Coordinates of all heavy atoms in Angstrom, one line a residue:
F136 N 108.7 97.6 152.6 CA 109.9 97.8 153.4 C 110.9 96.8 152.6 O 110.6 95.6 152.5 CB 109.8 97.3 154.8 CG 108.7 98.0 155.6 CD1 107.5 97.5 155.8 CD2 109.0 99.3 156.0 CE1 106.5 98.2 156.6 CE2 108.1 100.0 156.8 CZ 106.8 99.5 157.0
N137 N 112.0 97.4 152.2 CA 112.9 96.6 151.4 C 114.3 96.5 152.1 O 114.8 97.5 152.7 CB 113.3 97.2 150.0 CG 112.0 97.6 149.3 OD1 111.0 96.9 149.4 ND2 112.1 98.6 148.5
F138 N 114.8 95.3 152.1 CA 116.2 95.2 152.5 C 116.9 94.1 151.6 O 116.1 93.5 150.8 CB 116.4 94.9 154.0 CG 115.7 93.7 154.6 CD1 116.4 92.6 155.1 CD2 114.3 93.6 154.6 CE1 115.7 91.5 155.7 CE2 113.6 92.5 155.1 CZ 114.3 91.5 155.7
F139 N 118.2 94.0 151.7 CA 118.8 93.2 150.6 C 119.9 92.3 151.1 O 120.7 92.6 152.0 CB 119.5 94.3 149.6 CG 118.5 95.3 149.1 CD1 118.3 96.5 149.8 CD2 117.7 95.0 148.0 CE1 117.4 97.4 149.4 CE2 116.7 96.0 147.6 CZ 116.6 97.1 148.3
I140 N 120.0 91.2 150.4 CA 121.1 90.3 150.6 C 122.1 90.5 149.4 O 121.6 90.4 148.2 CB 120.7 88.8 150.6 CG1 119.7 88.5 151.8 CG2 121.9 87.9 150.7 CD1 119.0 87.2 151.7
V141 N 123.3 90.8 149.7 CA 124.3 91.0 148.6 C 125.3 89.9 148.6 O 125.9 89.6 149.7 CB 125.0 92.4 148.8 CG1 126.1 92.6 147.7 CG2 124.0 93.5 148.7
E142 N 125.4 89.2 147.5 CA 126.3 88.1 147.4 C 127.6 88.6 146.8 O 127.6 89.2 145.7 CB 125.7 87.0 146.5 CG 126.6 85.8 146.5 CD 126.0 84.7 145.6 OE1 125.1 85.0 144.8 OE2 126.4 83.5 145.8
G143 N 128.7 88.5 147.5 CA 130.0 88.9 147.0 C 131.0 87.7 147.0 O 130.6 86.6 147.3
S144 N 132.2 88.0 146.6 CA 133.2 86.9 146.5 C 133.5 86.2 147.8 O 133.8 85.1 147.9 CB 134.5 87.5 145.9 OG 134.9 88.6 146.6
K145 N 133.3 87.0 148.9 CA 133.6 86.4 150.3 C 132.4 86.0 151.0 O 132.4 85.7 152.2 CB 134.4 87.5 151.1 CG 135.8 87.7 150.5 CD 136.5 88.7 151.3 CE 137.9 89.0 150.6 NZ 138.4 90.3 150.9
G146 N 131.2 86.0 150.4 CA 130.0 85.6 151.1 C 128.9 86.6 151.0 O 128.9 87.4 150.2
L147 N 128.0 86.5 152.0 CA 126.8 87.3 152.0 C 126.9 88.5 153.0 O 127.4 88.4 154.0 CB 125.6 86.5 152.3 CG 125.3 85.2 151.5 CD1 124.0 84.6 152.0 CD2 125.2 85.5 150.0
T148 N 126.2 89.6 152.5 CA 126.1 90.8 153.4 C 124.6 91.2 153.4 O 124.0 91.2 152.3 CB 127.0 91.9 152.9 OG1 128.3 91.5 152.9 CG2 126.8 93.1 153.8
L149 N 124.1 91.5 154.6 CA 122.8 92.0 154.6 C 122.8 93.5 154.7 O 123.5 94.1 155.5 CB 122.1 91.5 155.9 CG 120.6 91.6 155.9 CD1 119.9 90.8 154.8 CD2 120.0 91.1 157.3
I150 N 122.0 94.2 153.8 CA 121.9 95.6 153.8 C 120.6 96.0 154.4 O 119.5 95.7 153.8 CB 122.0 96.2 152.3 CG1 123.3 95.7 151.6 CG2 122.0 97.7 152.4 CD1 124.6 96.1 152.1
D151 N 120.6 96.6 155.6 CA 119.4 96.8 156.4 C 118.8 95.5 156.8 O 119.2 94.4 156.4 CB 118.4 97.7 155.6 CG 118.9 99.2 155.5 OD1 119.8 99.6 156.4 OD2 118.5 99.9 154.6
A152 N 117.8 95.7 157.8 CA 117.3 94.5 158.4 C 115.8 94.5 158.6 O 115.3 93.8 159.5 CB 118.1 94.2 159.7
G153 N 115.1 95.2 157.8 CA 113.6 95.1 157.8 C 113.0 95.6 159.1 O 113.5 96.3 159.9
I154 N 111.7 95.1 159.2 CA 110.9 95.5 160.4 C 110.9 94.3 161.4 O 111.0 93.1 161.0 CB 109.5 95.9 160.0 CG1 108.8 94.9 159.1 CG2 109.5 97.3 159.4 CD1 107.4 95.1 158.8
N155 N 110.6 94.6 162.6 CA 110.6 93.6 163.6 C 109.2 93.0 163.6 O 108.3 93.3 164.4 CB 110.9 94.2 165.0 CG 110.9 93.1 166.1 OD1 111.0 91.9 165.8 ND2 110.9 93.5 167.3
H156 N 109.0 92.0 162.7 CA 107.7 91.4 162.5 C 107.9 90.0 162.0 O 108.8 89.7 161.2 CB 106.9 92.3 161.5 CG 105.5 92.0 161.5 ND1 104.9 90.9 160.9 CD2 104.4 92.8 161.9 CE1 103.6 91.0 161.1 NE2 103.3 92.1 161.7
E157 N 107.0 89.1 162.5 CA 107.2 87.7 162.2 C 107.2 87.5 160.6 O 108.0 86.7 160.1 CB 106.1 86.9 162.9 CG 106.2 85.4 162.7 CD 107.5 84.8 163.2 OE1 108.2 85.4 164.2 OE2 108.0 83.7 162.7
A158 N 106.3 88.2 160.0 CA 106.1 88.0 158.5 C 107.4 88.4 157.8 O 107.8 87.8 156.8 CB 105.0 88.8 158.0
C159 N 108.1 89.4 158.3 CA 109.3 89.9 157.8 C 110.4 88.8 158.0 O 111.2 88.5 157.1 CB 109.7 91.2 158.4 SG 111.2 92.0 157.8
W160 N 110.5 88.3 159.2 CA 111.5 87.2 159.5 C 111.3 86.0 158.6 O 112.2 85.5 158.0 CB 111.3 86.9 161.0 CG 112.1 85.8 161.5 CD1 111.7 84.6 162.0 CD2 113.6 85.7 161.6 NE1 112.7 83.8 162.4 CE2 113.9 84.5 162.2 CE3 114.6 86.6 161.2 CZ2 115.2 84.1 162.4 CZ3 115.9 86.2 161.4 CH2 116.2 84.9 162.0
Q161 N 110.0 85.6 158.4 CA 109.7 84.4 157.6 C 110.1 84.7 156.1 O 110.7 83.8 155.5 CB 108.2 84.0 157.7 CG 107.8 83.5 159.0 CD 108.7 82.3 159.5 OE1 109.2 81.5 158.6 NE2 108.9 82.2 160.8
Q162 N 109.8 85.9 155.7 CA 110.2 86.3 154.3 C 111.7 86.2 154.1 O 112.2 85.8 153.1 CB 109.6 87.7 154.0 CG 109.9 88.2 152.6 CD 108.9 87.6 151.6 OE1 107.8 87.4 151.9 NE2 109.4 87.4 150.4
F163 N 112.4 86.7 155.1 CA 113.9 86.7 155.1 C 114.4 85.3 155.0 O 115.2 85.0 154.1 CB 114.4 87.5 156.3 CG 115.8 87.3 156.6 CD1 116.8 87.7 155.6 CD2 116.3 86.9 157.8 CE1 118.2 87.6 155.9 CE2 117.7 86.7 158.1 CZ 118.6 87.1 157.1
L164 N 113.9 84.4 155.9 CA 114.4 83.0 155.9 C 114.0 82.3 154.5 O 114.8 81.6 154.0 CB 113.7 82.2 157.0 CG 114.1 82.7 158.4 CD1 113.4 81.9 159.5 CD2 115.6 82.7 158.7

Side-chain angles (χ1 to χ4, degrees):
F136 300 104
N137 308 330
F138 55 118
F139 306 91
I140 297 167
V141 176
E142 186 180 18
S144 53
K145 292 179 187 156
L147 305 181
T148 301
L149 193 65
I150 310 293
D151 288 337
I154 50 171
N155 183 14
H156 197 283
E157 186 57 28
C159 182
W160 175 241
Q161 290 306 327
Q162 181 81 32
F163 168 58
L164 295 180

